[in-house]
Amino acid sequence: MTGITNIRELMSRNIRQSGILIALVALVALFTFLNPSFLSPGNLTNIVLQYSYILILAIGMVIVIIGGHIDLSVGSVVALAGAVAAVLVVKGGHPWWVGVLAAMGVGLAVGVWQGFWVAFIGIPAFIVTLAGMLLFRGMTYQVLDNVSLSPFGGTYYKIANGFQNGLLGGYGYDALTLIVFGLAVAGYAFTQVRARQGALRYKQTVEAFPLFILKIVVVGAVVMWFGYQLAVNRGLPNVLIILALLIIIYTVITQRSVFGRHVYAIGGNLPAAQLSGVKVKKVNFMIFVNMGLLSGIAGIVYSSRMNSAQPAAGNMFELDAIAACFIGGAAVTGGVGRVTGAMIGALIMAVMTNGMQLMGVPTSTQQIVKGLVLLLAVAFDVYNKRRAGAR
């Protein structure tokens, strides 16, 4: 009975995160039942490759939303960054790293531009980024002269299409992939133990020890199973390495840094943050600089994946990224959200899209389903807030 009580307490303490995890598991189970090939090694690898740029955008977008803003321009910035890289690498014949640096520079410049108008001029982010969506899309058409540029080839192409395979050998599987995932599980277990010890030191409520061990074992088993599926296919995708590094870096930034705490403070209670000495303008400026940088990185990954730069690239990416954040637990009013939650939300979007594509569902129906899921996620958030306020 004690174990059941603890499970209920664990679920109720963070019902939104529990709900999205259950939803993700349910979706995977549903699509596996409808199409057994959904969990095949090849399809799992394709999910990582096809939706990595949305995951990257969701990392930056969740920080924007936590700060109480929104960014509608990221899809256009993805297109512009890829276009500049293509002009340099494909048309100009420059080395791949020149295109990468240029795309990141474009993202930073866009972030500085939009951060200036939002932070120092005081124009709402919705208006600034809506203007940016039009502005940067028009610039993309001009840079590409209304035509696509391809192929990148070489190292640039391998950024989002290459794999680390065979470096440490293995018979029928890639040993390096399993080692990397094993280290990831060990790191997760270590951080969970540290977090539990810290909570106990400050006399905070924690789950029962058997539940704690069970959580680590289940997460470790799922991660290692996923790693094995990649290992028996093509190995460790390069883009997954990039994504993992970004998740680790930004989890630390949002949860452990002064900047991260200030973003939560601004989004949660702006007047209180101002009174406590938070440099609101500087923090808001850096929020958009960071979003621009990540949009540039997503532009690199997307153009590499497509092996081309297209004027219409990145269309609707901003809506997928925003939806991922809200589904992943970010609050519409700001001040609430986590990078890990945004990743789970993005995975839900990826699983839904991939599963429906395997079933041959028309694109129009896919859009309807995505819209309904987003609406229900926000409605769930509003319901939880009203219920909490009524207590």
Side-chain angles (χ1 to χ4, degrees):
M1 182 62 73
T2 303
I4 296 175
T5 303
N6 282 329
I7 291 173
R8 287 176 178 172
E9 291 176 355
L10 185 64
M11 296 286 284
S12 61
R13 272 208 310 270
N14 201 344
I15 189 170
R16 186 66 184 275
Q17 295 296 329
S18 303
I20 60 173
L21 280 172
I22 293 171
L24 178 59
V25 172
L27 280 173
V28 171
L30 173 63
F31 286 122
T32 302
F33 173 76
L34 295 174
N35 191 331
S37 65
F38 179 78
L39 288 181
S40 66
N43 191 56
L44 290 175
T45 301
N46 286 336
I47 291 175
V48 173
L49 296 178
Q50 291 174 2
Y51 302 100
S52 54
Y53 37 86
I54 299 299
L55 291 164
I56 293 172
L57 290 175
I59 294 173
M61 189 64 73
V62 75
I63 297 175
V64 172
I65 291 173
I66 291 169
H69 306 290
I70 205 73
D71 192 334
L72 301 176
S73 68
V74 294
S76 297
V77 180
V78 166
L80 180 59
V84 171
V87 168
L88 291 172
V89 177
V90 178
K91 198 172 182 180
H94 294 284
W96 66 273
W97 55 267
V98 173
V100 169
L101 292 178
M104 293 174 65
V106 167
L108 284 172
V110 167
V112 169
W113 168 262
Q114 298 195 134
F116 168 77
W117 291 105
V118 173
F120 299 111
I121 304 301
I123 301 176
F126 180 88
I127 301 300
V128 172
T129 58
L130 178 61
M133 179 175 67
L134 303 173
L135 173 65
F136 305 129
R137 180 65 63 182
M139 292 175 66
T140 302
Y141 277 95
Q142 288 189 342
V143 169
L144 292 177
D145 198 20
N146 294 333
V147 298
S148 298
L149 286 180
S150 63
F152 281 96
T155 304
Y156 194 99
Y157 173 78
K158 292 180 181 178
I159 292 173
N161 295 282
F163 296 82
Q164 299 301 317
N165 196 333
L167 294 179
L168 298 179
Y171 298 95
Y173 63 89
D174 179 53
L176 175 64
T177 302
L178 294 180
I179 291 172
V180 169
F181 274 83
L183 292 174
V185 171
Y188 170 77
F190 176 75
T191 56
Q192 290 298 303
V193 170
R194 288 287 302 272
R196 180 182 173 85
Q197 290 175 341
L200 290 172
R201 191 178 304 118
Y202 290 100
K203 303 186 185 313
Q204 297 175 350
T205 303
V206 296
E207 63 266 53
F209 188 72
L211 281 178
F212 175 73
I213 296 299
L214 178 63
K215 179 180 70 173
I216 293 178
V217 170
V218 170
V219 171
V222 171
V223 170
M224 289 307 300
W225 172 84
F226 178 67
Y228 179 77
Q229 298 304 308
L230 296 181
V232 297
N233 189 33
R234 286 179 281 178
L236 188 64
N238 291 337
V239 73
L240 186 59
I241 299 174
I242 297 171
L243 184 60
L245 289 174
L246 290 174
I247 292 173
I248 293 170
I249 291 169
Y250 280 95
T251 298
V252 172
I253 289 174
T254 54
Q255 300 299 316
R256 302 288 183 180
S257 72
V258 174
F259 171 75
R261 290 193 292 271
H262 286 177
V263 172
Y264 279 98
I266 291 171
N269 193 326
L270 179 57
Q274 292 171 325
L275 291 173
S276 63
V278 175
K279 296 179 180 179
V280 175
K281 291 182 178 180
K282 180 180 178 181
V283 173
N284 281 333
F285 178 75
M286 291 307 302
I287 286 173
F288 283 92
V289 170
N290 177 71
M291 185 72 255
L293 174 62
L294 288 173
S295 298
I297 294 174
I300 295 166
V301 172
Y302 182 73
S303 58
S304 171
R305 173 64 182 165
M306 297 294 104
N307 200 23
S308 67
Q310 306 159 3
N315 187 34
M316 302 291 286
F317 280 12
E318 57 276 349
L319 299 186
D320 284 339
I322 292 168
C325 296
F326 287 139
I327 293 171
V332 179
T333 54
V336 177
R338 287 178 176 269
V339 170
T340 50
M343 295 300 95
I344 296 173
L347 285 174
I348 288 176
M349 298 288 290
V351 166
M352 284 195 304
T353 303
N354 181 266
M356 289 188 289
Q357 287 175 348
L358 289 178
M359 293 170 58
V361 176
T363 303
S364 58
T365 304
Q366 293 182 33
Q367 296 298 325
I368 292 172
V369 172
K370 288 181 182 180
L372 289 174
V373 169
L374 174 58
L375 182 62
L376 290 174
V378 176
F380 186 57
D381 177 58
V382 173
Y383 169 75
N384 284 334
K385 286 184 177 179
R386 287 180 178 175
R387 191 176 67 168
R391 292 176 180 175

